[in-house]
């Protein structure tokens, strides 16, 4: 029995590396020619998918930064809400103090209106941070990493494709010698063509999923813009809040300040705090009441004058509140698309690559005896 030796086709030499993708494969090998073109098409799909993955990774990085900023705005809303509550509480003791209460009540009502609006939004943004923003932040980070890994995997797949194409070129040269070797190569080409078709379908599905995720990110960025508008307004409000906060601090000091005045036609002096002068004028000796009130006014008016301001709520609160209603729905849709893509990127490329690698391009060496018989 004649033993048939199986030899594996060697890797291409440097001269073959320089050969064009459209290297000629004889028409006597139709399956081999077809798979060669299929591999060239798969390589093109890999290039397109790599470019799309790169663009999506950049877009994902930008979207993640926007989500990071949205989380910071959420924290700023919470901080300002607490800050307003503390300032309102500090104003409460002065709501009944004569000559002070009018300014204090006006400012306090103004701050209470702002705080009520801000607090209503704050309850929603707190929940949004926990249920939407934080999970989205992590999901986008995972997607960035998966895309970066997929780019490398696809480049590896391209190298595998190049290797298969060069092996086909070499095998085609050898296979032309006999009908038997041609049939063997054609059988291998059919198996490889099936694996290539599966791989091509997998790469296309990944590219479609990349496109789907890419079309959803602009909507996420639009929602982040609403957070940014509120955040910018809060930065301006932070600066304006310093004035009433500073004035309340000065009012705290002034109201407890003790004023001393000498009683006319006497060597005696009397001392009263400004609070006593304002709240209990009946306890102050009548002859010195007006001078003391004048001194108290001189201290208080510069402070009260700066407290006569109209604070405005942060811009964009209503728009942000409206966006929050649709953000949860977007998060579910985007989350599903991202999770599916990450799953494809982490496993499918490896599976397709292994499928291609499993197909060995081999050519049986025709025994000399068989060769001699065929030539006689």
């Amino acid at each position: 029995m004649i033993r048939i030796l199986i030899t594996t086709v060697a890797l291409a030499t440097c001269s073959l590396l320089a050969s064009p993708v459209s290297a000629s494969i004889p028409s006597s090998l139709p399956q081999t020619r077809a798979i060669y073109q299929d591999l060239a098409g798969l390589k093109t799909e890999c290039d397109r998918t790599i470019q799309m993955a790169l663009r999506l990774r950049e877009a994902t990085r930008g979207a993640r930064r926007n989500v990071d900023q949205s989380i910071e705005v959420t924290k700023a809303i919470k901080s300002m809400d607490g800050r307003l509550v503390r300032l309102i509480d500090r104003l409460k003791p002065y709501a009944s103090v004569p000559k002070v209460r009018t300014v204090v009540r006006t400012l306090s009502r103004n701050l209470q209106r702002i705080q009520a609006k801000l607090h209503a939004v704050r309850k929603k943004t707190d929940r949004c941070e926990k249920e939407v923003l934080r999970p989205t932040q992590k999901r986008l980070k995972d997607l960035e990493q998966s895309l970066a890994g997929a780019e490398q995997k696809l480049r590896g797949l391209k190298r595998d494709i190049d290797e298969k194409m060069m092996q086909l070129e070499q095998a085609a040269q050898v296979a032309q010698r006999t009908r038997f070797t041609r049939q063997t190569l054609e059988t291998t080409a059919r198996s490889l063509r099936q694996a290539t078709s599966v791989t091509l379908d997998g790469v296309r599905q990944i590219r479609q999923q990349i496109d789907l995720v890419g079309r959803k990110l602009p909507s996420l960025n639009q929602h982040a813009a609403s957070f940014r508008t509120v955040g910018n307004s809060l930065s301006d409000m932070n600066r304006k809040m310093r004035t009433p906060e500073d004035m309340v601090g000065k009012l705290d000091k002034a109201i407890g300040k003790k004023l001393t005045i000498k009683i006319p036609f006497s060597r005696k002096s009397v001392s009263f705090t400004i609070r006593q002068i304002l709240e209990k004028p009946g306890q102050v000796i009548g002859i010195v009441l007006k001078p003391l009130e004048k001194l108290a006014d001189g201290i208080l008016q510069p402070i009260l004058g700066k407290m006569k301001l109209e604070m405005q709520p942060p811009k964009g609160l209503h728009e942000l509140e409206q966006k929050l209603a649709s953000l949860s729905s977007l998060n579910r849709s985007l989350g599903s698309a991202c999770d599916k893509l990450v799953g494809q990127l982490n496993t499918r490329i490896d599976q397709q690559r292994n499928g291609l690698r499993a197909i060995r391009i081999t050519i049986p060496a025709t025994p000399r005896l068989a060769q001699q018989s065929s030539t006689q």
Side-chain angles (χ1 to χ4, degrees):
M1 181 177 179
I2 299 175
R3 184 180 179 182
I4 299 177
L5 302 175
I6 305 296
T7 60
T8 302
V9 177
L11 294 176
T13 59
C14 294
S15 61
L16 284 172
L17 283 170
S19 65
V21 172
S22 59
S24 176
I25 292 179
S27 58
S28 58
L29 298 168
Q31 289 294 329
T32 305
R33 292 183 72 176
I35 185 56
Y36 193 90
Q37 293 302 318
D38 289 349
L39 288 169
L42 175 57
K43 186 176 177 181
T44 299
E45 284 296 318
C46 288
D47 282 328
R48 292 178 62 188
T49 306
I50 288 170
Q51 292 304 312
M52 289 186 68
L54 177 60
R55 289 194 293 270
L56 180 60
R57 183 157 61 90
E58 293 173 350
T60 301
R61 184 185 300 114
R64 181 174 57 80
R65 288 172 179 168
N66 286 336
V67 172
D68 292 345
Q69 291 176 358
S70 298
I71 292 173
E72 292 304 312
V73 172
T74 298
K75 293 179 180 178
I77 291 173
K78 183 176 182 178
S79 176
M80 180 58 72
D81 185 28
R83 192 172 174 183
L84 284 165
V85 169
R86 289 191 295 273
L87 183 55
I88 292 168
D89 287 342
R90 290 176 64 187
L91 290 170
K92 287 179 179 177
Y94 302 108
S96 60
V97 178
K99 296 188 178 181
V100 173
R101 60 191 174 203
T102 301
V103 173
V104 167
R105 287 174 180 174
T106 300
L107 177 59
S108 183
R109 283 194 295 268
N110 178 206
L111 295 175
Q112 286 171 3
R113 285 194 297 269
I114 297 173
Q115 192 271 330
K117 291 180 181 179
L118 192 65
H119 186 72
V121 175
R122 180 235 168 132
K123 289 191 293 184
K124 296 179 180 180
T125 53
D126 282 354
R127 185 169 61 253
C128 178
E129 179 185 357
K130 179 181 178 181
E131 298 177 0
V132 177
L133 295 178
R134 292 289 182 183
T136 300
Q137 183 187 49
K138 183 180 183 305
R139 183 173 285 119
L140 293 176
K141 186 176 181 180
D142 291 343
L143 179 57
E144 275 186 78
Q145 294 173 345
S146 295
L147 286 166
E151 291 168 30
Q152 296 302 317
K153 290 178 182 179
L154 287 167
R155 290 188 178 96
L157 178 57
K158 281 181 59 182
R159 290 192 295 269
D160 292 344
I161 293 169
D162 284 334
E163 181 178 337
K164 292 295 182 189
M165 293 175 73
M166 288 186 287
Q167 288 177 353
L168 285 171
E169 291 176 26
Q170 280 192 323
Q173 293 174 12
V174 176
Q176 292 181 74
R177 298 173 186 171
T178 68
R179 179 181 177 182
F180 181 72
T181 52
R182 287 196 297 271
Q183 290 175 342
T184 301
L185 180 58
E186 287 288 271
T187 299
T188 302
R190 277 191 288 270
S191 299
L192 182 57
R193 196 169 191 189
Q194 290 176 350
T196 302
S197 176
V198 172
T199 303
L200 180 61
D201 183 60
V203 172
R204 283 175 174 167
Q205 287 185 24
I206 288 173
R207 184 161 51 81
Q208 291 170 356
Q209 195 66 22
I210 287 175
D211 182 61
L212 176 62
V213 173
R215 284 187 277 111
K216 290 181 179 296
L217 288 182
S219 181
L220 178 63
N221 293 332
Q222 290 173 5
H223 284 74
S226 298
F227 278 92
R228 191 159 46 247
T229 298
V230 174
N232 292 337
S233 185
L234 281 172
S235 296
D236 184 55
M237 188 175 177
N238 274 325
R239 292 189 295 271
K240 293 180 178 178
M241 281 285 288
R242 294 172 191 163
T243 298
E245 287 172 336
D246 290 344
M247 293 304 104
V248 172
K250 291 180 179 179
L251 184 59
D252 289 338
K253 292 180 180 179
I255 208 77
K257 187 178 181 65
K258 185 175 287 189
L259 301 179
T260 302
I261 190 170
K262 187 177 180 182
I263 301 174
F265 312 112
S266 171
R267 293 183 178 181
K268 292 182 179 181
S269 296
V270 291
S271 298
F272 298 94
T273 64
I274 293 180
R275 181 181 291 276
Q276 289 175 317
I277 297 169
L278 297 178
E279 291 185 330
K280 300 176 182 179
Q283 296 179 1
V284 181
I285 301 173
I287 196 171
V288 296
L289 177 59
K290 288 189 177 180
L292 285 172
E293 287 180 334
K294 186 175 181 180
L295 288 173
D297 284 345
I299 294 171
L300 291 174
Q301 287 309 314
I303 299 172
L304 297 176
K306 291 186 178 181
M307 292 176 69
K308 292 179 181 179
L309 49 85
E310 181 73 18
M311 299 284 290
Q312 298 297 326
K315 295 179 181 178
L317 282 181
H318 180 66
E319 291 76 8
L320 176 59
E321 194 170 13
Q322 288 182 318
K323 287 288 186 181
L324 290 175
S326 59
L327 187 56
S328 295
S329 175
L330 172 64
N331 176 60
R332 288 191 295 272
S333 174
L334 177 62
S336 176
C338 286
D339 292 345
K340 182 177 180 180
L341 177 57
V342 168
Q344 290 178 332
L345 296 176
N346 290 345
T347 60
R348 193 154 194 177
I349 299 175
D350 288 333
Q351 291 173 351
Q352 309 306 337
R353 192 175 177 186
N354 291 335
L356 277 182
R357 285 178 170 178
I359 307 298
R360 302 287 300 244
I361 301 175
T362 59
I363 298 296
T366 305
R368 292 183 179 180
L369 180 59
Q371 289 178 354
Q372 290 173 0
S373 298
S374 63
T375 57
Q376 289 177 357

